[in-house]
Amino acid sequence: MTLTRSISGDPPQERRRAARAPVFVNAHGYHVELLDHRRIAIHRDEWLNLACRSIEPNIFFDPDFLLPAARFLSGDLPTFVVIRRVVDGRMKLVGLCPISERDMRSGRRMVRIWRHPYTALGVPLFDRRWFKGAFDAMLDWLAHAGRSALIFADLRIDHPFARMLLHRARRIGSRISTFDVHERPVLHTGGAAIRSTNTQRAIARNFSKLKKLGKIEFRAARSVEELIGAFLTFLSLEEQGWKGRRGTALAEEEGTARFALTAVHALAKRRSCYVWELRHCDQTIVTVVAFGQPDNLVCWKTAFDEKFARFSPGLLLMASVTDAWLTDPAFAFADSCAAGGANTTVARLWNDRVRIGDVLVAVSPRRYDFRIADAHERVRRSMRRAAKVAYHAFVHPGRK
């Protein structure tokens, strides 16, 4: 597709509007209702305020990232569980959780937290002061609606929200199961920037080789215009690389490109988007895109010019970005969001790890319903793994 700076326009297909459900009030006075993505957009400022005071930040559930995804991406839509309570004489938003509209419409007893391929964290937003009551209210609402279980995808198992979830589930006697627990690299303040001596030598060697061929420049985009320009360069690099050949680059489809540009533009205006580039002879050879604030960053996307692959440009750029973060007094934490775990470039640079997994929780102590949901999920995941093995055996015969 042709890339432009336009980030406006209607989605390719009209989204259907769901009827507004009645408000549910639990025994502790929490109000729970279900809103579609059009109605929740009206409450963007209140939602943004909740995101800033959440028990665990999640930029992927920030309104400026999630609403463009709901508007432009195809497939299942989100519908939002909105939780309020009276605070200082007025109703205050204390919880927000996107769930699968398909699950709600189909009447499935197990409901999934909504996600799409461009997220790497599934932590819903709960007020750090009222999170226990808000979480209990969501489970009460699901039980009242006849659901048996709720599954959260991509939680940081040892971080605040997952710890709260496990504690609350045990307290009310609800069963829990975890799936697909794995580790991915993260960086903390004072963390080790370089993993091994071999990595340090590889970085120095490749920088030296590149410098012999021409000028090298490490650049961080600052203004909104610079960020959009740098992101357009990223889209072009990604489309020219292996993702473009596979058909999974963001720019391959109009909807994904509009989603990405809209989200990046909105986050850039709030100084919540960062784009770093490594340039060689005034040409960008690798780009990294990150979201959040210095105390809680997520690395979202990276792309490089394959003509420079022998110099490991991703390693060189991430080494420079890491050094910049560790010298920034405001920096505290960064999540690589790397799907490959120990087999990724950033794993050579960052020693710290965080456990990531999916958590299935019963909405009430009715264990019979939960056993069915748990067994169904295990079978589904087992079949999916078998299908992937069969696919790769067919596409890449003989590869181990």
Side-chain angles (χ1 to χ4, degrees):
M1 86 175 258
T2 301
L3 298 176
T4 69
R5 290 181 181 269
S6 173
I7 58 172
S8 61
D10 294 326
Q13 60 181 3
E14 181 65 24
R15 305 290 195 172
R16 58 183 178 272
R17 186 185 296 255
R20 184 162 185 166
V23 176
F24 168 80
V25 183
N26 78 345
H28 300 285
Y30 285 83
H31 293 234
V32 185
E33 65 177 328
L34 202 61
L35 299 180
D36 65 18
H37 73 281
R38 296 180 186 276
R39 291 194 176 96
I40 193 64
I42 300 171
H43 307 284
R44 176 192 172 275
D45 291 345
E46 193 179 10
W47 179 355
L48 189 58
N49 186 275
L50 172 65
C52 294
R53 63 177 197 277
S54 179
I55 181 177
E56 184 175 339
N58 184 5
I59 196 69
F60 297 116
F61 284 177
D62 183 285
D64 289 336
F65 187 87
L66 204 158
L67 287 175
R71 183 182 179 195
F72 292 113
L73 297 182
S74 59
D76 188 20
L77 287 171
T79 187
F80 296 84
V81 182
V82 177
I83 307 155
R84 292 186 173 90
R85 63 158 289 156
V86 176
V87 178
D88 297 329
R90 65 181 184 87
M91 295 300 294
K92 184 175 184 178
L93 181 66
V94 294
L96 186 144
C97 182
I99 59 177
S100 166
E101 183 184 71
R102 183 180 298 153
D103 288 351
M104 293 304 297
R105 285 181 174 272
S106 68
R108 294 173 184 167
R109 299 188 68 80
M110 182 175 67
V111 177
R112 299 177 185 278
I113 301 298
W114 184 77
R115 58 163 305 169
H116 56 82
Y118 306 107
T119 62
L121 189 64
V123 177
L125 305 179
F126 286 94
D127 188 299
R128 67 173 65 96
R129 179 181 178 187
W130 309 106
F131 65 90
K132 294 179 181 179
F135 180 76
D136 290 354
M138 184 171 68
L139 296 188
D140 291 343
W141 171 78
L142 286 166
H144 177 76
R147 313 302 166 131
S148 60
L150 177 65
I151 187 162
F152 297 87
D154 298 323
L155 298 186
R156 296 174 182 141
I157 299 298
D158 302 312
H159 279 223
F161 177 79
R163 291 201 304 267
M164 180 276 293
L165 184 156
L166 298 175
H167 171 75
R168 300 305 292 174
R170 293 191 187 103
R171 183 180 179 278
I172 64 177
S174 292
R175 294 186 63 185
I176 56 173
S177 290
T178 56
F179 302 91
D180 300 336
V181 177
H182 58 283
E183 293 185 338
R184 70 186 183 206
V186 295
L187 183 68
H188 293 276
T189 302
I194 303 299
R195 189 170 178 81
S196 69
T197 301
N198 288 340
T199 300
Q200 295 185 54
R201 289 173 178 169
I203 292 170
R205 182 172 61 252
N206 286 318
F207 263 127
S208 178
K209 289 180 179 179
L210 267 179
K211 286 178 181 177
K212 289 179 181 178
L213 299 177
K215 183 181 68 173
I216 297 177
E217 179 187 6
F218 171 61
R219 177 184 293 182
R222 304 291 184 186
S223 67
V224 174
E225 292 75 17
E226 288 178 348
L227 286 163
I228 293 298
F231 186 69
L232 288 169
T233 300
F234 157 80
L235 289 178
S236 180
L237 282 176
E238 186 185 52
E239 192 173 27
Q240 294 168 20
W242 65 268
K243 286 191 176 182
R245 294 191 296 274
R246 186 180 289 183
T248 58
L250 284 170
E252 285 294 315
E253 295 184 7
E254 183 179 4
T256 55
R258 285 185 172 182
F259 145 68
L261 283 166
T262 303
V264 166
H265 185 261
L267 292 171
K269 290 194 295 185
R270 291 168 38 201
R271 299 180 180 274
S272 294
C273 176
Y274 306 85
V275 182
W276 293 272
E277 299 175 315
L278 186 64
R279 295 171 64 84
H280 181 260
C281 296
D282 298 322
Q283 174 190 353
T284 300
I285 63 173
V286 60
T287 302
V288 170
V289 182
F291 298 137
Q293 295 298 318
D295 62 341
N296 198 298
L297 289 163
V298 296
C299 298
W300 187 50
K301 290 285 183 179
T302 184
F304 66 94
D305 187 335
E306 294 184 349
K307 295 193 298 291
F308 293 84
R310 67 185 184 277
F311 300 107
S312 301
L315 180 65
L316 301 184
L317 179 57
M318 282 309 301
S320 299
V321 171
T322 299
D323 291 342
W325 282 344
L326 292 178
T327 56
D328 182 354
F331 174 79
F333 174 80
D335 188 337
S336 69
C337 298
N343 299 318
T344 59
T345 296
V346 74
R348 300 173 62 184
L349 296 168
W350 299 357
N351 281 332
D352 297 328
R353 299 289 183 266
V354 64
R355 291 197 301 153
I356 302 293
D358 301 347
V359 178
L360 178 69
V361 57
V363 301
S364 72
R366 292 181 298 173
R367 300 193 174 194
Y368 178 74
D369 287 350
F370 180 80
R371 287 195 196 100
I372 295 174
D374 182 67
H376 177 272
E377 186 63 16
R378 292 184 186 280
V379 169
R380 187 190 73 84
R381 289 172 185 255
S382 177
M383 293 177 65
R384 185 178 181 183
R385 283 192 293 268
K388 283 186 175 181
V389 170
Y391 170 80
H392 287 295
F394 177 77
V395 175
H396 306 290
R399 180 181 295 183
K400 293 183 179 180

